[in-house]
Structure formats: structure tokens, C-alpha cells
Amino acid sequence: VKNMQNRELAIEVTEIKNPSSLRIKFDCGLGDNGRSVIKSRTYSSLKHDAKPLDVLNVAKAIASLQKHSVLDIAKQDNTSLN
């Protein structure tokens, strides 16, 4: 807070939408230590304006090719602020 007193705060912001990514988490069973093994796969360069339903359907199609069960499907948006 002390350093903020001498700086101007922005009154406008510009958002730049960057490519998003799709992350799928899989339950890979139990490890040797008895703990859950969770692995994730990330697919980058997803169009930032991809519709959630389309992303989900693609993720489910990818997941159907895997032998492990899906724990989570996430679309990670990436926005730069100026």
C-alpha cells in the first residue's frame, strides 16, 4: 500500500484474448505408496472463443480413447491486460 501512493492507477484496461487451452485430469489408480495417481493432459492453442459445449464434446471424445477415468475437464482462458 505504501508504494501505491506514488503511482497512478489505471482508469482503462484493454483485454487481449490469447489462445486458450484444454486440460483433462485422469485418475490413474493408486501408486506404490497407496496414494491416488492423478495425471493431466493439456492441449494448447484452443480458440479463445470456442464454445463450452464444443470444448466439452471434444474433451469427452479424447477421454474415450484413454483407459483411465476422467476426473476433471477444464478450459483455461488466457487474457492479457494492458
Side-chain angles (χ1 to χ4, degrees), residues 49-79:
D49 58 349
K51 294 179 178 151
L53 183 59
D54 293 338
V55 174
L56 180 62
N57 286 330
V58 166
K60 286 185 175 191
I62 292 170
S64 73
L65 301 172
Q66 307 295 317
K67 66 179 178 179
H68 302 293
S69 59
V70 173
L71 292 174
D72 185 47
I73 296 171
K75 178 185 174 200
Q76 299 173 315
D77 293 319
N78 182 5
T79 303

Side-chain angles (χ1 to χ4, degrees), residues 1-9:
V1 174
K2 190 183 252 187
N3 291 337
M4 292 293 292
Q5 293 172 350
N6 296 331
R7 297 177 188 216
E8 277 189 45
L9 298 177

Side-chain angles (χ1 to χ4, degrees), residues 17-25 40-52 54-56 58-59 62 72-79:
K17 301 286 187 182
N18 298 313
S20 299
S21 61
L22 168 64
R23 189 190 67 211
I24 307 172
K25 283 187 181 179
S40 65
R41 292 219 159 220
T42 302
Y43 301 89
S44 57
S45 298
L46 189 70
K47 289 183 178 181
H48 68 84
D49 58 349
K51 294 179 178 151
D54 293 338
V55 174
L56 180 62
V58 166
I62 292 170
D72 185 47
I73 296 171
K75 178 185 174 200
Q76 299 173 315
D77 293 319
N78 182 5
T79 303

